[in-house]
Amino acid sequence: MNITDIPVEGYERVARCIDEASGLHALIAVHDTTLGPALGGMRLWNYASEEEALTDVTRLARGMTYKSAVADTGLGGGKCVIIGDPDKVKSPELFRAMGRFIDNFGGTYITAEDMNIGIADLLHVKETTEHVAGLDREHGGSGNPSPYTAYGCVVGIETAAAYRYGSKDLSQKHILLQGVGAVGGEMARLLKERGARITICDIKDDRVAQLCAEHGYESVDEASHLSLDCDIYAPCARGAGVNDETIPQLKCDIIAGCANNILLEPRHGDVLREKGILYAPDYVVNAAGIINVSVERHPGGYNEEVAMEKINRIDDNLTEVFKLADDEGIATNRAANRLAEIRIEAAKQLQ
Ligand code: NAD
């Protein structure tokens, strides 16, 4: 196994691992550990080049620093990627080698699930390093994060409603959800429970038909959903959906959803602000998954009551972001980053 450090400005440590015996080619990026060890998932992807993988792992690691800082998880930001075809490279030996690579970081990086990585893979990683989080309850972890993420997003939607309309009450609100998978589907259910009128859209027609029949939702075509007149738009599918092309079509007061990287570029937050649409920054709203995992590190281990109490604090964090944005006259996505930087800087001063 050959581990080489790659100097990247602004990152505490980035390293490459090549292990010929198992075929492992992977990168780990630790962005910042001021607030605690860097936690971020393991992604397996068929990158066209190591350069592309490096861009992805560093961008994602930095994103985890900001997300954890605003969510106050007591964690820093990191990520790892394995380069390879998800249908071909997986083997117990590959994941054991990955565990040894993670162990080389001495606990400054803790891994978890991400794209193309499941619990079974992480259990092999755990054979060679203890720095693994997010396992199922059976194996001492906090389990599937999706229901927690959904609940946290609903807390965020209520906070945004309170900021925009002066009340958390969603019973007179029309909410459009794009993507009703593991998180969006549960969000729709929780929002309906709060009395909201729900319209859903998804590229899976059978899923839409089933949910509408079961819960009495309305539906709209993916192609025309953006121009639907609604109060709150919740993007819960893929990222980059809010951009120059889509913003002029939007007819909502608030955007708040679970998808990562909702804005194509940071400047789209400025455009939403000018247009008078309140944007609840994605990583503040969808932080319940990482908050839930962070509770595994508490003395005595994972405790759901503690996790729920911390998830409810998304309300305070988001309100602080909205206030900072208004005070400084900046877009909410920029205010979220600012809040993260303020918290990291304050911790550095204390240290
Ligand atoms: P999922 O795969 O279970 O659901 C995604 C749904 O979106 C699917 O039903 C899919 O058919 C649909 N979809 C895809 N493209 C679409 C499109 N163009 N229009 C309409 N529907 C479309 O995924 P998930 O776990 O629910 O995650 C959803 C989003 O939330 C992702 O961006 C993910 O990164 C983010 N997120 C998830 C979690 C979590 O705990 N699962 C945590 C943080 C962020």
Side-chain angles (χ1 to χ4, degrees), residues 4-280:
T4 336
D5 280 23
I6 307 170
V8 179
E9 207 188 323
Y11 287 74
E12 288 182 13
R13 188 179 173 202
V14 180
R16 162 201 304 119
C17 175
I18 308 256
D19 179 54
E20 281 182 14
S22 64
L24 179 70
H25 182 183
L27 302 171
I28 297 178
V30 168
H31 174 249
D32 194 291
T33 58
T34 307
L35 298 172
L39 194 148
M42 178 186 297
R43 178 169 289 194
L44 168 56
W45 194 253
N46 210 353
Y47 294 101
S49 63
E50 189 188 80
E51 201 186 338
E52 196 190 303
L54 183 63
T55 304
D56 206 29
V57 77
T58 48
R59 181 183 61 88
L60 292 165
R62 188 168 180 273
M64 290 308 296
T65 298
Y66 281 74
K67 185 172 190 162
S68 258
V70 175
D72 198 16
T73 60
L75 294 165
K79 202 85 183 178
C80 72
V81 296
I82 299 177
I83 303 168
D85 184 337
D87 295 329
K88 293 186 186 149
V89 300
K90 280 191 180 190
S91 72
E93 202 33 65
L94 178 116
F95 289 114
R96 285 184 204 116
M98 191 64 204
R100 286 191 284 275
F101 182 27
I102 291 167
D103 220 50
N104 181 269
F105 276 69
T108 55
Y109 171 67
I110 303 166
T111 203
E113 275 183 272
D114 195 67
M115 274 159 70
N116 295 315
I117 297 294
I119 297 288
D121 305 322
L122 288 184
L123 287 173
H124 291 302
V125 176
K126 194 136 201 296
E127 289 172 36
T128 49
T129 182
E130 60 177 292
H131 306 298
V132 179
L135 292 174
D136 46 11
R137 297 270 166 96
E138 202 182 310
H139 293 95
S142 52
N144 177 10
S146 301
Y148 298 95
T149 303
Y151 173 75
C153 290
V154 171
V155 169
I157 288 176
E158 288 179 326
T159 307
Y163 207 77
R164 177 69 199 239
Y165 305 118
S167 164
K168 285 186 179 178
D169 182 7
L170 299 174
S171 63
Q172 302 301 317
K173 302 297 173 215
H174 181 191
I175 305 178
L176 165 66
L177 292 106
Q178 180 214 23
V180 278
V183 182
E186 176 63 4
M187 281 170 66
R189 192 186 68 77
L190 294 171
L191 292 165
K192 177 90 180 173
E193 256 179 25
R194 284 155 178 75
R197 174 180 164 199
I198 303 294
T199 299
I200 60 171
C201 91
D202 198 292
I203 47 172
K204 291 180 185 156
D205 293 341
D206 48 349
R207 170 95 175 142
V208 170
Q210 181 210 339
L211 290 177
C212 289
E214 274 175 22
H215 301 280
Y217 306 148
E218 294 161 60
S219 69
V220 61
D221 280 353
E222 214 288 301
S224 57
H225 83 280
L226 283 166
S227 51
L228 185 85
D229 216 331
C230 62
D231 299 302
I232 301 167
Y233 173 44
C236 301
R238 300 260 176 85
V242 173
N243 52 50
D244 290 332
E245 203 183 305
T246 58
I247 292 175
Q249 300 175 51
L250 294 171
K251 293 195 191 109
C252 60
D253 301 323
I254 293 170
I255 299 177
C258 71
N260 279 313
N261 305 315
I262 288 176
L263 306 178
L264 178 62
E265 293 172 35
R267 69 180 175 85
H268 291 117
D270 307 328
V271 182
L272 290 177
R273 183 179 160 77
E274 279 160 27
K275 215 174 137 76
I277 296 177
L278 180 65
Y279 171 60

